[in-house]
Amino acid sequence: MSTIAEFTVPAESFALGHTIERAPSLGVEIEPVVAAPPDAVLPCLRLSGDEETLERADAALAADPTVEAASRVLDLEGERWYRVRWNGTVVDLVELLTREEATVFETGLEGDRWRFRVLFPNREALARSYEYATDQGVPIDLRKINRLEEARYDRFDLTDAQHETLVAALEHGYYDIPRGIDMETLSDELGISHQALSERLRRAHLALVEEAVGADDPA
């Protein structure tokens, strides 16, 4: 069963430690590029911040020992995109993490640590990669492991019960116009009380809306 793992690695053990030190408020994401050549590793870098931070990062990037070459390809308000060729240390680490036919879904910076979201063919492949990486001295902090079908809704912070309730509501026409089922009947279908159904839907809708608009949890 395909497995998605989320883990972090200290910046100094991966990439851009020099740049981050000189521009600590910088936002950093590595964008996957489908059309990249096979020998390119995570080639598209997106930096975000105010103008002063971006100027500082631009100068630091040119002197960063983990970067062999960087060329700016896009300059927008509040962000800059670069085509990057990494040094051998970064390339080796990415190849080490993906040696079990794994695919990097997301890579970005959280404080002074890099966050990875990687798809592995199965848990055994993840275990072998983790063991091999730690044997090589890579300080991986494994945060979360999900089967692929779980990860599709886990990213929205939905519980199993909330997800099942949303699926049932959708299948029974609760979201149709006009509605194909009312809450009383849907609660009977699910074998829960009307109040429990209302609470599940409210919390599930709140999680989806917060994910969609990027809002923090309310106080």
Side-chain angles (χ1 to χ4, degrees):
M1 178 65 66
S2 295
T3 299
I4 291 181
E6 297 181 21
F7 54 88
T8 65
V9 175
E12 64 268 20
S13 300
F14 179 51
L16 299 185
H18 172 88
T19 300
I20 295 162
E21 182 179 350
R22 282 152 182 77
S25 62
L26 186 69
V28 182
E29 297 285 341
I30 296 179
E31 302 291 339
V33 178
V34 175
D39 59 345
V41 173
L42 305 176
C44 196
L45 180 67
R46 180 169 64 89
L47 306 183
S48 58
D50 58 34
E51 191 65 24
E52 181 181 353
T53 297
L54 289 173
E55 287 295 327
R56 192 179 300 136
D58 192 80
L61 194 64
D64 197 300
T66 60
V67 177
E68 288 192 356
S71 57
R72 194 189 307 176
V73 296
L74 193 60
D75 195 345
L76 304 173
E77 183 177 357
E79 66 180 54
R80 294 177 182 177
W81 294 58
Y82 297 81
R83 177 74 65 173
V84 177
R85 187 170 74 250
W86 302 101
N87 76 349
T89 302
V90 176
V91 173
D92 289 347
L93 178 55
V94 174
E95 290 181 348
L96 183 153
L97 294 173
T98 59
R99 64 199 302 263
E100 293 280 347
E101 298 183 357
T103 301
V104 178
F105 275 178
E106 298 176 13
T107 312
L109 198 66
E110 288 183 351
D112 60 353
R113 299 184 69 88
W114 282 94
R115 177 194 73 252
F116 289 87
R117 193 164 182 263
V118 181
L119 173 67
F120 291 87
N122 48 56
R123 285 195 177 231
E124 290 74 19
L126 166 60
R128 288 192 297 268
S129 294
Y130 177 82
E131 182 177 357
Y132 189 79
T134 52
D135 285 347
Q136 298 300 309
V138 180
I140 292 178
D141 181 9
L142 195 57
R143 299 285 182 85
K144 189 182 295 185
I145 303 173
N146 291 108
R147 294 194 304 272
L148 181 58
E149 68 273 15
E150 291 173 340
R152 288 185 304 199
Y153 61 88
D154 180 75
R155 63 168 294 198
F156 299 109
D157 290 328
L158 295 174
T159 65
D160 288 348
Q162 289 166 2
H163 179 258
E164 291 168 3
T165 300
L166 287 175
V167 170
L170 185 64
E171 290 177 345
H172 285 85
Y174 179 75
Y175 296 109
D176 291 351
I177 301 173
R179 281 181 173 164
I181 192 172
D182 59 26
M183 288 191 66
E184 202 69 50
T185 308
L186 181 59
S187 64
D188 290 342
E189 288 284 343
L190 292 170
I192 60 177
S193 69
H194 182 282
Q195 182 178 353
L197 173 60
S198 177
E199 182 71 11
R200 280 191 198 175
L201 287 175
R202 188 188 70 79
R203 292 185 178 276
H205 294 162
L206 179 61
L208 294 175
V209 170
E210 286 176 346
E211 174 70 20
V213 302
D216 296 328
D217 291 337

